[in-house]
Amino acid sequence: KIASSGTCAEEAPSVQFPVAGMGSAASGIAEESRQLFTTVVHVHTIHEISALNSRIRKSILSAAKKTAGARLSNIGGWQSEADWLMTTEDDAIQELRHELSDAVYTALCSELPVEVVSDLDLRLTG
């Protein structure tokens, strides 16, 4: 369930200033300044993360014993199949998947209209 006001962040205000060597704002020459490449960082806190990490570790070690996993760049290690996070029935991984989904949807709802976010289908891989 997505809870959001459904509004996007407001556009940064434009600022006019004189361009060096080309006159001044008073003479009609001006530049417009906008924020284009800002980085937004969202923080999602998972309560009782130590306990969840312990359960996730056990789940991964168990899966590594049962399957060969993906053979990519993991020399001497184990890597899950690409769809493992979405397909495993393990309780700890399902809880992690739920936490990650909540964090992503909450962040998206704070940046995009709710109509856009509600049409998205989130898939986790790794």
Coordinates of all heavy atoms in Angstrom, one line a residue, residues 9-17 31-38:
A9 N 8.3 17.1 -5.9 CA 9.0 18.2 -5.3 C 8.9 19.4 -6.2 O 8.9 19.3 -7.5 CB 10.5 17.8 -5.2
E10 N 8.8 20.6 -5.6 CA 8.7 21.8 -6.4 C 10.0 22.1 -7.1 O 11.0 21.8 -6.7 CB 8.4 23.0 -5.4 CG 7.0 22.9 -4.8 CD 6.6 24.1 -4.0 OE1 7.2 25.2 -4.3 OE2 5.8 24.0 -3.2
E11 N 9.8 22.7 -8.3 CA 10.9 23.1 -9.1 C 11.7 24.2 -8.4 O 11.2 25.1 -7.8 CB 10.4 23.7 -10.5 CG 11.4 23.8 -11.5 CD 10.8 24.2 -12.8 OE1 9.9 23.5 -13.3 OE2 11.2 25.2 -13.4
A12 N 13.1 24.1 -8.5 CA 13.9 25.1 -7.9 C 13.7 26.5 -8.5 O 13.5 26.6 -9.7 CB 15.4 24.7 -8.1
P13 N 13.7 27.5 -7.7 CA 13.4 28.8 -8.3 C 14.6 29.3 -9.2 O 15.7 28.9 -9.0 CB 13.3 29.7 -7.0 CG 14.1 29.0 -6.0 CD 14.0 27.5 -6.3
S14 N 14.2 30.0 -10.2 CA 15.3 30.6 -11.1 C 15.8 31.8 -10.5 O 15.2 32.6 -9.8 CB 14.7 30.8 -12.5 OG 13.7 31.8 -12.5
V15 N 17.1 32.1 -10.8 CA 17.8 33.2 -10.3 C 18.5 34.0 -11.5 O 19.0 33.3 -12.4 CB 19.0 32.8 -9.3 CG1 19.7 34.0 -8.8 CG2 18.4 32.0 -8.2
Q16 N 18.3 35.3 -11.5 CA 18.9 36.0 -12.6 C 20.2 36.7 -12.0 O 20.1 37.3 -10.9 CB 18.0 37.0 -13.2 CG 16.8 36.4 -13.9 CD 16.0 37.4 -14.8 OE1 16.2 38.6 -14.6 NE2 15.2 36.8 -15.6
F17 N 21.2 36.7 -12.8 CA 22.5 37.4 -12.4 C 23.2 37.8 -13.6 O 23.0 37.3 -14.7 CB 23.3 36.5 -11.5 CG 23.7 35.2 -12.2 CD1 24.8 35.0 -13.0 CD2 22.8 34.1 -12.1 CE1 25.1 33.8 -13.6 CE2 23.1 32.9 -12.7 CZ 24.3 32.8 -13.5
E31 N 21.2 35.4 -17.0 CA 21.3 33.9 -17.1 C 20.2 33.4 -16.1 O 19.8 34.0 -15.2 CB 22.7 33.4 -16.6 CG 23.8 33.6 -17.7 CD 23.6 32.7 -18.8 OE1 23.2 31.5 -18.6 OE2 23.9 33.1 -19.9
E32 N 19.8 32.2 -16.4 CA 18.9 31.5 -15.6 C 19.6 30.3 -14.9 O 20.3 29.6 -15.6 CB 17.7 31.0 -16.4 CG 16.6 30.5 -15.5 CD 15.3 30.1 -16.3 OE1 14.9 31.0 -17.2 OE2 14.8 29.1 -16.1
S33 N 19.5 30.1 -13.6 CA 20.2 29.1 -12.9 C 19.2 28.1 -12.4 O 18.2 28.5 -11.7 CB 21.0 29.7 -11.8 OG 21.6 28.7 -11.0
R34 N 19.4 26.8 -12.6 CA 18.5 25.8 -12.1 C 19.3 24.6 -11.6 O 20.4 24.4 -12.1 CB 17.5 25.3 -13.2 CG 16.5 26.3 -13.7 CD 15.6 25.7 -14.7 NE 14.7 26.7 -15.3 CZ 13.5 26.7 -15.0 NH1 12.9 25.9 -14.1 NH2 12.7 27.7 -15.5
Q35 N 18.8 24.0 -10.6 CA 19.4 22.8 -10.1 C 19.1 21.6 -11.0 O 17.9 21.2 -11.2 CB 18.9 22.4 -8.7 CG 19.4 23.5 -7.7 CD 18.9 23.1 -6.3 OE1 18.2 22.1 -6.1 NE2 19.2 23.9 -5.3
L36 N 20.1 21.0 -11.7 CA 19.9 20.0 -12.6 C 20.3 18.6 -12.1 O 19.7 17.6 -12.4 CB 20.6 20.3 -14.0 CG 20.0 21.4 -14.8 CD1 20.8 21.6 -16.0 CD2 18.6 21.2 -15.1
F37 N 21.5 18.6 -11.5 CA 22.1 17.3 -11.2 C 22.2 17.1 -9.7 O 23.3 16.7 -9.2 CB 23.4 17.1 -11.9 CG 23.3 17.2 -13.4 CD1 23.7 18.4 -14.0 CD2 22.8 16.2 -14.1 CE1 23.6 18.4 -15.4 CE2 22.6 16.3 -15.5 CZ 23.1 17.4 -16.1
T38 N 21.2 17.4 -8.9 CA 21.2 17.2 -7.5 C 21.1 15.8 -7.1 O 20.6 15.0 -7.9 CB 20.1 18.0 -6.8 OG1 18.8 17.5 -7.3 CG2 20.2 19.5 -7.1

